[in-house]
Structures are given as C-alpha cells and as structure tokens.
C-alpha cells in the first residue's frame, strides 16, 4: 500500500469554515446504510475526510420542470439529503459566466451560472456537505474540444481578460460566502487540456489561472484550489500540464483528472500519472469526474454517451452492481495513490426530465435548460450544441432511475467504508464473440463468462438457441446475435460471418509485423499501432495518429498485397477521431503504383467510425495491388487525432 497522510490543515480548515458558514442545520443523523443486494468490498483505512463527491449541477433545472427525487423506500425527499445520507460529503457544481442568449433563453446543461451555484451550495451546506465550485470560465461547456471565451470577455487582450476573470471570480465567490455556503474547493477551469477561455498558449493560460487563484485565496483563504485536466491515458500530456504550471509557479493545491473507465485507460495508469504529479510537485490529487452506466437503456428519449449498441469494452456490466463496482475501484485507486484526497462522481442526479415522450421532454429541456443543450445555445456554440442539442446523455449513469427513485448502487459511497461482503452470485453474462469464415463451421462456445457481483469472472455452461448454419453461411458477411441461457441469465454470442480477407494483420492485432507501411508527410507527434481495446473497432489494437500543432497531420498508411489472384475485389477500411478541423481523408487503391480509386472518409467524434468501401477493383495476376488510406487534417484546438482499424480486401467473385 502506498502512503497517504491526512492533512491536518485541511481538517482544521473544515472546522473553521463550518463555524464561519453559520452552522450545519440539517446534517443527517448518521444511520447505518445497509444493503441486502449490493456487494461492496471494503476499502480499508479510508480517511474520514476522504472526498466522496457528487456533481449535481442539473438538479435545479430538473426540479423546475417537475422532477422529484425519492429515497429507497419511495419517500419524496430533498435529493441533497438523500446524497448526504448515503455518504456523499461534497457537492460539485459547474459555473458558466452567462449561459443565456440575448433574449434570456438558457443554453441548457442546467443553465448553471453563479446563482445556480449559490442555490445548490446552500442546500449542500444545509446537509453538511462542502461545495466544489467548478468555474468553466466560459458561457457554456468547456472540455478538451472547446474552451470558448465568455461573450463579455470576447476580444479582450490577455491582461484585460485576466483582470475580468479575477473580478468575476472574486464577485462570484463573494456571493457564495454571503449566502453562507461552505466552499471547500474551487476549480480554475474545466478539463483545460492546453486551452482556457479561448487562450491556447501556456503563459496566457497561467495568467488567467493566476488571476482566479488570487481571487480564491482572497475570498476563501481556507479553500483548496484545484486545476482540472483529462485524458490521463495520455500520460505525457498530463505530466506536461503539471510541469507547465510548475514552471509558471501557479499557486494551487490539487491536481485533478477526469476518469471515465470506458475512455481513459487503466486505473493503474491513472494512479501512476497522479502519483508522479503528487511526488514531483507535492500536490494533492483527485478524480474530478467519473461515472458508469447502471443500464444500457436510454430513459429520456435522447441518446446516451455509453449504453445500448455501444462498442465499448465493458470492464463492468451495465448494471446497478457494475456501476457500484466501477465507483469502488476508482475510489480505492485514489485512496491508495500518494496524496489522493477524493473522487467526484459526475452528474449522478441528471435523470430524465420526466416526460413520457421526446416532445414532452424537449419542451422541458428548452424551457428549463435541463438537457445538455437547448436550441438557444446555437447563438454561442453553433458547431456543437447548435447542431446536436437535446436531453441528458448520462441518464443511464445516474444513481436514480428515470422516476427519481434512488438506486441501490448509491449505497456504495457509504458501504465502501465498512464493506458489504455478500455471497458471490452472477450479476450478468459477458457477451461472447466469434468470427467464422463463410466456408467454415460455426462452433458456438460451450461456456460463457459470468460477471460476478464482485466483478470477477466465472465460466458458466451455456445453452444456445438453435441456429440455421446453412442460412448464415449463404447470407454473406454479416453479424448475427445468437441468444442463449447461462445459469438463469440471458447470454448472447455475436457471430461475425466473414469473407476471406486478403490483407495481412487487417485489424493490427499482430502488432507491427511489417505488413503495413505508414509514411508521415509532415512531422507528426504520434503515428503507430496502439493497444487499446476501447479505441479499437474490433480486437485490442488499431492504428493511432495524433499531432499537437495545427496543420501537422498528413500521412498515408498502406499495404501491398502479394500474389493477389486475378479477379474483382472490394476494399474497406474504417476511421474515427476528433478535433480534425478541415480534412482531406480517403481510402485508395493503387494498381502498379497508380491510384485507380478513392473513397472519401470523415472524422466526426469519438466512437463514430466511418467506413469507406471501394468496390469492383479488377486486377490481373501480374498487377501489384496496394490499398491504403490518406489522412490530412488542419486540426482544431489541440490538433487532430484518430484511429484506423479493420481493413478488408474481399473477393467479389
Ligand atoms: Ca439520454
């Protein structure tokens, strides 16, 4: 176990603020939380003040539209009271400068400005929970893809902008102080991966953060100051952020990362990155955002980040138990990381707006701002929110069902201190996957993995529904879902019928075996085969590219097929990525060194794979056939990145 020290300054800070903020009125009477169905492994020696936080920014906008919250017994209660009773000791709230258009219509996402934070902060304080104020320093969502300057500060030079940011921070925090809110921590920006408030060079980012930092020290001298980044799986980038802040000597206390298990690499890696920052710079570390789905189903008529039809690798099943296990593992990791002070769950209260149709919910999202974005956001953020506005993309990751009733998994925050070691039982069945040649036999597996309530795996005998082998073989290349039963639970096997692929290492699963040739046409930062199942279309590997600077992504990736028999062929390849800016991307076929066919491709966002298909490729036995992909991106913000996978060259007969 790694060392962890409880900071006495932190504790005394809590006490002083507790007195200052005018006493805790309705702190819950500590009633032991118990569960007969939720398995929870104990995390030994978890400090009393270890932060178990919840971002609850959407609550007021949902409540304005009629949403109510209920405890496990179905009693309507203040949701902040329910959270406190279940071990949550900190509330996080995002704050936008002015998330409203000229007519006063909210952009959505809770329309969270400082007044929302005051309202949420007062309720948190009432139940004995501290508040983390998450300043985005934008008028709407700030993340690695965008850090837009607030309308009021647009066009300002850096010194003027920093002054405006400082004044805004001071005035906002004073409102919280005047309202008696127990502010324990303040964030200088949200997922500020090399950008903040429209600035993209570190000296300017530092000047903005410095102005915010000074304001926090002035208004809440006992509060912790946090900086927040994401993509811990890009370890070098994370360490660079810490180094830059050290170079400029920013005054801050906590280095925080987001950690979404389906995107952000392993927990081991997360711990290593944060430990290194803690050791090198003497900072506290934490997870500012994490979440996991309790169901694959959408409940608010607006599609979700993960869930149904998702191709993400599932380390945990999308079940109530899986959600709790995911949280417990993140908490345990941070508890065992040097200077680890806590974990915040992101938006565990962002449930359906409560309507029984898309139309009903949409009306609420527009009127109360309870979806992730309203149509009104278009005036500020036309490219993203303006196009894709709608409801909650995380209602299946909340700790309340669509009717507002608390889920058993909410008990994990309390139970992980004591443990709740129930007997092991299967919680879900892992999907089986099989690739069969169209000409071969279809051998369904005899066992499948049961995912137990402690997230371990146990093989279980499975019985499959009958399949029509002949029809599957004659149906061409496609994927069939075969249903079955293991124990008394439903099982599924995905059988992909595949035609013979004339390409070697088509899915990059063999690593760098020389089958593929990549050629960077500009100096690129990263261009290689990467092992990461969650970023692969199939299997564990894919071809990865990334480059930080604008206009620095341009390369080809190709394979020359040896001894291809004369005939007619079909070639396909898939790509996904982001931050691409203007692009010129296409799959191509070369015969004897000359490009004879092209198919354009697009990069949109994470997980959206685009597949190019080139048909009717005719060649003779003496032709040399090369297939490939050409990628050129101008890049937006951080520079373009992407993934290429699953190249197929099949006979068309
Ligand atoms: Ca949804």
């Amino acid at each position: 176990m790694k060392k962890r020290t409880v900071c006495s300054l932190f504790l005394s800070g809590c006490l002083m603020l507790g007195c200052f903020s005018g006493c805790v009125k309705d702190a819950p009477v500590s009633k032991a939380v118990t569960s007969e169905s939720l398995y929870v492994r104990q995390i030994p020696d978890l400090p009393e003040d270890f932060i178990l936080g919840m971002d609850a920014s959407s609550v007021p906008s949902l409540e304005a539209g009629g949403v109510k919250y209920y405890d496990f017994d179905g009693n309507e209660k203040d949701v902040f009271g329910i959270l406190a009773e279940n071990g949550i000791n900190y509330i996080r709230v995002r704050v936008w400068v002015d998330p409203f258009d000229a007519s006063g219509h909210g952009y959505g996402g809770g329309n969270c400005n400082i007044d929302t934070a005051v309202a949420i902060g007062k309720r948190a304080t009432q139940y004995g929970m501290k508040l983390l104020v998450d300043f985005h320093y934008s008028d709407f969502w700030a993340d690695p893809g965008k850090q837009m300057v607030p309308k009021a500060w647009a066009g300002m030079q850096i010194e003027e902008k920093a002054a405006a940011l400082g004044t805004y921070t001071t005035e906002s925090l004073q409102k919280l102080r005047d309202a008696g809110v127990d502010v324990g921590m303040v964030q200088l920006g949200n997922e500020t991966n090399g950008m903040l408030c429209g600035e993209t060079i570190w000296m300017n980012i530092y000047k903005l953060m410095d102005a915010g930092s000074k304001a926090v020290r002035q208004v809440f001298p006992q509060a912790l100051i946090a900086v927040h980044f994401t993509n811990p799986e890009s370890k070098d980038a994370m360490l660079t952020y810490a180094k830059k802040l050290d170079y400029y000597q920013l005054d801050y206390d906590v280095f925080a990362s987001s950690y979404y298990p389906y995107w952000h690499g392993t927990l081991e890696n997360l711990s290593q990155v944060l430990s290194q920052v803690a050791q090198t710079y003497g900072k506290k570390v934490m997870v500012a955002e994490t979440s996991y789905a309790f169901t694959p189903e959408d409940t608010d008529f607006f599609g979700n980040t993960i869930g149904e039809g998702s191709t993400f690798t599932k380390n945990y099943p999308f079940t109530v138990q899986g959600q709790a296990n995911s949280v417990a593992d993140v908490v345990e990791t941070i508890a065992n990381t040097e200077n680890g002070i806590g974990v915040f769950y992101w938006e565990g209260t962002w449930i359906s707006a409560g309507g029984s149709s898309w139309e009903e919910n949409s009306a609420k999202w527009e009127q109360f701002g309870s979806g992730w974005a309203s149509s009104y956001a278009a005036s500020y953020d036309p490219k993203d929110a303006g196009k894709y506005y709608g409801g909650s993309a995380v209602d299946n990751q909340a700790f309340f069902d669509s009717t507002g009733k608390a889920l058993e998994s909410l008990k994990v925050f309390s139970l992980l201190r004591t443990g709740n070691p129930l007997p092991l039982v299967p919680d879900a069945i892992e999907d089986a996957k099989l690739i069969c040649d169209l000409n071969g036999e279809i051998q369904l597996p005899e066992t499948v993995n049961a995912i137990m309530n402690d997230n371990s795996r146990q093989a279980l005998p499975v019985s499959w529904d009958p399949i029509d082998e002949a029809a599957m073989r004659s149906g061409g290349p496609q994927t069939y879902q075969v249903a079955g039963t293991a124990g008394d639970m439903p099982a599924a096997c995905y059988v992909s019928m595949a035609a013979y692929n004339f390409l070697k290492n088509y899915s990059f699963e063999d690593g760098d075996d020389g089958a593929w040739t990549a050629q960077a046409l500009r100096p690129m930062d990263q261009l290689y085969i990467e092992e990461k199942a969650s970023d692969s279309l199939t299997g564990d590997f894919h071809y990865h590219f990334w480059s930080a600077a604008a206009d620095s992504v341009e390369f080809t990736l190709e394979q020359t097929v040896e001894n291809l028999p004369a005939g007619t062929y079909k070639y396909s390849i898939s790509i996904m990525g982001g931050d691409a800016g203007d692009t010129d991307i296409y799959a191509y076929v070369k015969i004897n060194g000359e490009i004879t066919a092209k198919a354009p491709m697009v990069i949109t966002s994470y997980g959206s794979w685009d597949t190019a298909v080139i048909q009717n490729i005719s060649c003779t036995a003496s032709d040399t056939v090369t297939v490939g992909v050409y990628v050129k991106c101008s890049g937006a913000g951080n520079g373009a990145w992407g993934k290429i996978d699953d190249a197929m060259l099949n006979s068309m007969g």
Side-chain angles (χ1 to χ4, degrees), residues 298-304 391-396:
D298 172 48
T299 65
D300 79 337
F301 310 99
F302 181 79
N304 291 336
S392 172
V394 293
D395 46 290
N396 66 333

Side-chain angles (χ1 to χ4, degrees), residues 517-528 543 545-547 552-557 630-631:
T517 305
Q519 189 180 4
L521 302 172
R522 297 174 189 222
M524 290 186 55
D525 293 323
Q526 295 178 351
L527 189 62
Y528 49 73
Y543 211 91
F545 66 90
W546 175 76
S547 208
S552 63
V553 170
E554 187 179 8
F555 67 94
T556 57
L557 175 68
Y630 169 84
V631 179

